[in-house]
Amino acid sequence: MSTAHALAAAATNFTAPSVAYRSLLPMIVLFGAAAVGVLAEAFVPRDNRRMVQVGVALAGLAGSLIAVIYVAGSVDVVTAGGAVAVDGPALFIEGTLAALGIASVLLLADRASDGGGHFVADAAITVGSAHDRRQLTAVHSQTEVFPLTTFALAGMMLFASANDLLLMFVALEVLSLPLYLLCGLARRRRLLSQEAAVKYFLLGAFASAFFLYGVALLYGYAGTVQLRGIFRAAAGSTNDDLLLLLGLALLIIGLLFKAGIAPFHSWTPDVYQGAPTPVTALMAACTKVAAFGAILRVFYVAFASTRWDWRPLIWGVAIASMVIGAVLAVTQTDVKRLLAYSTVANAGFIMVGVVALTKTGISSTLFYLVAYGFTTIGAFAVVTLVRDADGEATHLSQWAGLARRSPLTAAVFTFFMLAFAGIPLTSGFTSKFAVFAAAVDGGATPLVIVGVVASAVLAFPYLRIVVLMYLSDPAETGPSVIVPGAFTSAALTLGVVATLALGIAPQPILELANNAARFVG
């Protein structure tokens, strides 16, 4: 038989995989909104483009959140030829990303429009001549941040739901490429922003290469890239596990990089500092949620049978992340870099829940991701409000006496710092308690001890900011606090309400996370 006849016969016998579109509705809605945003960027007049883009992004995220609730009654579905899993953790992550995405877009909306934001005033244009006005109008047209953000969030949803390592790699690129672009959009600090974007891109490309090489080795071992197939191959094989362990190690590097976990965290402080602050909030909250959703799925579905091989490594990673993040946060003099190292330490705390390898470990990790995400977006929202003549004032010395200039802003930021420190009646306390309790039940008590010590160390930089704001004298030429716009006020309100509610009455979300803590493969 000729090659042409063989190909024709294969095409005749090919059966397209069935797709449960209803189960994929949250992602379909969000990808559709992103596509509409791209069309709006091309065809909507410049004067109306911003509000249209904000409306499309918020409508898409709200529709995706509603779709998650609609689909929740039909979980445990594996569709698209086994490539996508729609189960409890996937839907919980998708709902979390939609909610956090709404807060992120609200924060982006004001920064993309007012006279002090990264996407407008970073150009530092003085409105005077016609030429200047034309430049200002050109900067105002920088509304591509919204479809880029929507594509990134849709990719994050797919990343956490992928039941196939190749699809997971595709989703990783879909979420990463828009973030690389978003990191370089700050105009006032153009060199710092572009340096952050290039660094993130180069290191992200290396991490993606590690991930893809790990996928190749795992395929060579198991003959499949589906997670449940890898689990069956590892559980029933009597062959040498060298390919399995090497593939898993390379895969872990890619996942840990995306989650910003030590020792693969070196990009985090530079990128978080250089990127526009709303984009930093998006990365710190949403990307971490998606990364840990994928980490949970890979470890619990594909490699549960080999836990004794990789669990000691993850113990070491969790300890390194908590210790490095806490110790280096103490030495920082920039608020954004301090919060960046805080995210590294918090990634270690979340990993403590992952290491538990129990249903409680899954549910506590999911709860921590929700609580951490809203607090992080709220904290970065406050950072966008403190300004001097050069833009955002992020050096710690510039925050001295801030409570006298704006008592409300100082009080809100203090509340977020107390939540990060794990003070009772905040979401930080309940989330840390949840993951530490799960780790103790899972036999990881030494990790909990390290976590408690790291939390105590990490409280110092948080409280140092509070002391600076309330007990130090403000400089005569210190920064001012701008009045937040309606969108930023809404994002701040979401952060405060969620942080307080999850600290005082966490039970509904804890029960929801517990009910969702079951993977299907």
Side-chain angles (χ1 to χ4, degrees):
M1 181 183 294
S2 67
T3 303
H5 289 148
L7 291 174
T12 303
N13 296 328
F14 176 76
T15 302
S18 61
V19 179
Y21 291 102
R22 178 176 182 270
S23 300
L24 301 179
L25 195 57
M27 287 181 281
I28 292 174
V29 169
L30 203 52
F31 275 116
V36 171
V38 172
L39 294 176
E41 192 67 25
F43 296 108
V44 174
R46 179 176 295 168
D47 293 341
N48 304 324
R49 193 178 297 162
R50 172 183 162 267
M51 290 310 300
V52 170
Q53 290 285 28
V54 172
V56 168
L58 290 178
L61 289 164
S64 182
L65 184 58
I66 294 171
V68 169
I69 300 172
Y70 172 70
V71 174
S74 59
V75 295
D76 297 344
V77 174
V78 179
T79 185
V84 181
V86 182
D87 49 20
L91 287 179
F92 191 95
I93 293 292
E94 289 173 11
T96 301
L97 287 170
L100 294 176
I102 290 172
S104 299
V105 169
L106 289 172
L107 190 56
L108 282 163
D110 271 343
R111 311 298 1 117
S113 64
D114 65 19
H118 266 293
F119 304 118
V120 175
D122 283 340
I125 297 171
T126 301
V127 180
S129 67
H131 175 68
D132 290 334
R133 284 194 293 273
R134 284 194 298 271
Q135 283 186 305
L136 183 60
T137 302
V139 177
H140 270 279
S141 70
Q142 198 172 359
T143 50
E144 65 272 17
V145 295
F146 299 105
L148 286 173
T149 299
T150 312
F151 266 120
L153 288 166
M156 293 174 194
M157 289 186 179
L158 184 60
F159 188 53
S161 305
N163 194 51
D164 180 307
L165 291 179
L166 277 183
L167 182 63
M168 190 174 288
F169 173 75
V170 172
L172 176 64
E173 297 307 302
V174 171
L175 75 90
S176 296
L177 292 175
L179 292 178
Y180 299 151
L181 296 175
L182 289 169
C183 284
L185 292 181
R187 290 179 178 267
R188 185 183 293 271
R189 300 175 179 176
R190 181 176 299 175
L191 292 179
L192 189 63
S193 178
Q194 291 176 352
E195 179 186 348
V198 170
K199 181 175 291 188
Y200 191 25
F201 170 73
L202 291 177
L203 293 178
F206 277 110
S208 296
F210 278 111
F211 185 95
L212 193 58
Y213 194 19
V215 173
L217 293 178
L218 290 171
Y219 180 77
Y221 174 84
T224 180
V225 290
Q226 292 191 356
L227 300 183
R228 187 58 67 181
I230 295 173
F231 170 81
R232 287 193 291 266
S237 175
T238 58
N239 298 327
D240 187 4
D241 290 339
L242 179 61
L243 279 181
L244 175 70
L245 297 178
L246 286 177
L248 174 58
L250 296 175
L251 198 70
I252 288 175
I253 290 175
L255 292 172
L256 296 185
F257 173 88
K258 189 52 62 178
I261 304 174
F264 307 101
H265 69 288
S266 60
W267 61 274
T268 306
D270 294 332
V271 173
Y272 281 21
Q273 183 184 21
T277 302
V279 176
T280 303
L282 172 71
M283 291 192 297
C286 299
T287 306
K288 204 167 293 292
V289 170
F292 273 101
I295 287 171
L296 282 170
R297 185 170 301 279
V298 166
F299 284 155
Y300 279 73
V301 176
F303 298 102
S305 61
T306 58
R307 64 182 64 185
W308 301 116
D309 293 318
W310 56 261
R311 199 182 189 209
L313 173 64
I314 301 305
W315 271 53
V317 166
I319 292 172
S321 197
M322 290 186 289
V323 172
I324 291 174
V327 172
L328 293 183
V330 174
T331 67
Q332 300 307 307
T333 58
D334 184 275
V335 175
K336 289 177 72 173
R337 292 183 71 88
L338 188 155
L339 292 176
Y341 280 110
S342 169
T343 66
V344 175
N346 275 279
F349 297 143
I350 300 171
M351 194 60 87
V352 171
V354 175
V355 169
L357 293 176
T358 61
K359 182 180 180 181
T360 307
I362 300 174
S363 62
S364 63
T365 301
L366 295 175
F367 178 82
Y368 199 116
L369 292 172
V370 177
Y372 166 81
F374 279 107
T375 304
T376 299
I377 290 177
F380 280 109
V382 175
V383 173
T384 65
L385 303 179
V386 183
R387 306 278 181 80
D388 60 14
D390 296 324
E392 290 174 355
T394 58
H395 196 278
L396 287 182
S397 62
Q398 296 174 295
W399 288 60
L402 191 68
R404 302 184 192 179
R405 299 180 183 273
S406 178
L408 180 58
T409 301
V412 171
F413 198 67
T414 297
F415 178 64
F416 289 132
M417 292 300 99
L418 294 178
F420 280 133
I423 301 301
L425 301 183
T426 66
S427 61
F429 174 79
T430 52
S431 56
K432 283 187 175 66
F433 182 84
V435 294
F436 288 166
V440 170
D441 292 340
T445 303
L447 269 184
V448 175
I449 296 173
V450 175
V452 171
V453 174
S455 297
V457 173
L458 202 54
F460 173 77
Y462 298 142
L463 298 179
R464 180 175 59 176
I465 299 179
V466 176
V467 170
L468 274 173
M469 291 191 297
Y470 282 94
L471 300 181
S472 299
D473 295 327
E476 293 183 2
T477 59
S480 60
V481 178
I482 67 169
V483 177
F487 292 123
T488 300
S489 298
L492 274 170
T493 302
L494 280 174
V496 170
V497 170
T499 301
L500 184 61
L502 294 178
I504 296 176
Q507 200 57 38
I509 303 299
L510 280 172
E511 290 180 357
L512 184 63
N514 189 61
N515 293 334
R518 187 169 68 87
F519 287 101
V520 64

